Amino acid sequence: MKLVFYIVPVVSLVCGVILLRTSAMKINSIFGFRTKVSTKNNETWKYCNQLCAKILILIGIISIIAMLALGNFSALLFGVLELGELVNIIVIIAILLSIPVVNRSCKKRFEMQ
């Protein structure tokens, strides 16, 4: 497995750890899970950032384990994608899908419309 395939999972893991450690910060325009819902107040900001951080860490760990499990497989899927590329695509899709999940969870927890 090429080392380049580990970039997306490691970045996900590192961003999750950073976000978890900085989630207690006040709402800012530099770093954090920034949506209309999360920036409503400091309580929603902290909750959304902590939840997003945990999801990013989980995605990072699972994808790194998947990469390690694939080991030296270099099979091409459909003659186009390598397995590592497929894992990275799945990671990116999972990260994008986590955005509405975090927003919905925040709305539900704080009973927003």
Side-chain angles (χ1 to χ4, degrees):
M1 186 70 59
K2 298 176 186 173
L3 283 177
V4 71
F5 294 145
Y6 287 91
I7 292 173
V8 174
V10 169
V11 168
S12 172
L13 182 62
V14 169
C15 286
V17 169
I18 291 170
L19 189 57
L20 192 61
R21 290 181 180 227
T22 61
S23 63
M25 290 174 41
K26 292 186 178 186
I27 299 170
N28 64 74
S29 60
I30 298 171
F31 191 77
F33 182 82
R34 297 192 50 79
T35 64
K36 190 180 269 188
V37 173
S38 69
T39 57
K40 206 96 163 144
N41 58 51
N42 281 330
E43 191 176 7
T44 58
W45 174 258
K46 184 176 179 179
Y47 174 79
C48 288
N49 279 281
Q50 286 180 346
L51 182 57
C52 183
K54 290 173 186 174
I55 290 171
L56 285 174
I57 291 168
L58 184 64
I59 290 170
I61 290 171
I62 290 171
S63 56
I64 289 171
I65 290 170
M67 291 289 201
L68 292 171
L70 291 173
N72 292 324
F73 289 113
S74 60
L76 290 177
L77 299 171
F78 312 112
V80 180
L81 290 176
E82 289 190 39
L83 291 173
E85 292 170 322
L86 180 62
V87 170
N88 282 334
I89 290 169
I90 292 170
V91 168
I92 292 167
I93 290 170
I95 290 170
L96 291 174
L97 289 175
S98 72
I99 295 169
V101 169
V102 172
N103 271 334
R104 192 173 319 119
S105 176
C106 188
K107 284 180 181 178
K108 190 174 182 179
R109 180 180 173 117
F110 296 101
E111 298 178 7
M112 296 179 193
Q113 296 297 332

